[in-house]
Amino acid sequence: MVESIARVRHIRVTPQKARRVVDLVRGRQATEALAILKFAPQAASEPVYKLVASAIANARVKADASNEYLDEQDLFIAKAFVDEGTTLKRFQPRAQGRAFRINKRTSHITIVLATPDEASVAGVSKKKASK
C-alpha cells in the first residue's frame, strides 16, 4: 500500500564503494537492513543507514497522511541504486613544477521502500520480497 522514497545527493563517497554497501541490503526487510548496516565495517554504511531510516520515516508520514495502517515490519527495500554525482577536481603539486590531478568523486543514493502488496504492482516478484 505504501511506497516511500529517500534520496541523498552529492555525498562524498565514491559510487563503487557505496554500491558495495547498497548491494548488502537490496531486497531485504527494512528493519533487517538497518541491523546489517549498523554493524557493517564500510564507511559508506553510515549514510546508507541514515537513508534507510529516513525512508522508513517517510513511509510512516505518508501512511499517516493517507489514514492507512503501516506495520514497519512489512516494509522492504524494493529498489536501491547508486548513481555517480559530480566529481570535484583537485590538484596536488608534484616534482619539477608538475601537477597531479585528484578526483574526489560523489554519489547520489536512492532507496525505495514498499510493502509486499505494493511490490506486486511495481513489478517486483514475491520471492524477492520474502528474501
Side-chain angles (χ1 to χ4, degrees), residues 87-100:
T87 301
L88 304 174
K89 295 169 180 88
R90 302 291 180 259
F91 289 94
Q92 181 177 12
R94 302 300 285 181
Q96 298 181 3
R98 293 187 179 94
F100 179 74

Side-chain angles (χ1 to χ4, degrees), residues 8-131:
V8 63
R9 300 186 70 223
H10 304 290
I11 190 152
R12 277 294 313 276
V13 175
T14 65
Q16 185 176 5
K17 292 176 183 178
R19 284 186 192 110
R20 284 181 49 203
V21 174
V22 168
D23 289 343
L24 290 174
V25 296
R26 186 180 290 118
R28 296 187 185 268
Q29 276 190 321
T31 53
E32 182 185 356
L34 288 176
I36 291 170
L37 291 169
K38 187 171 188 171
F39 297 105
Q42 292 87 359
S45 62
E46 182 185 353
V48 175
Y49 177 91
K50 289 181 179 181
L51 192 61
V52 173
S54 175
I56 292 171
N58 291 347
R60 192 179 313 123
V61 168
K62 196 171 184 179
D64 287 345
S66 62
N67 256 350
E68 293 180 19
Y69 172 73
L70 175 69
D71 185 12
E72 293 180 10
Q73 299 296 324
D74 290 342
L75 289 173
F76 75 100
I77 300 177
K79 296 179 196 169
F81 51 91
V82 179
D83 295 324
E84 189 172 334
T86 55
T87 301
L88 304 174
K89 295 169 180 88
R90 302 291 180 259
F91 289 94
Q92 181 177 12
R94 302 300 285 181
Q96 298 181 3
R98 293 187 179 94
F100 179 74
R101 190 162 90 173
I102 297 172
N103 292 326
K104 299 193 175 204
R105 300 180 191 278
T106 62
S107 303
H108 304 319
I109 306 172
T110 304
I111 301 282
V112 179
L113 296 184
T115 52
D117 50 344
E118 181 82 19
S120 61
V121 175
V124 178
S125 68
K126 293 276 187 181
K127 289 179 185 175
K128 192 154 192 168
S130 64
K131 188 176 181 182

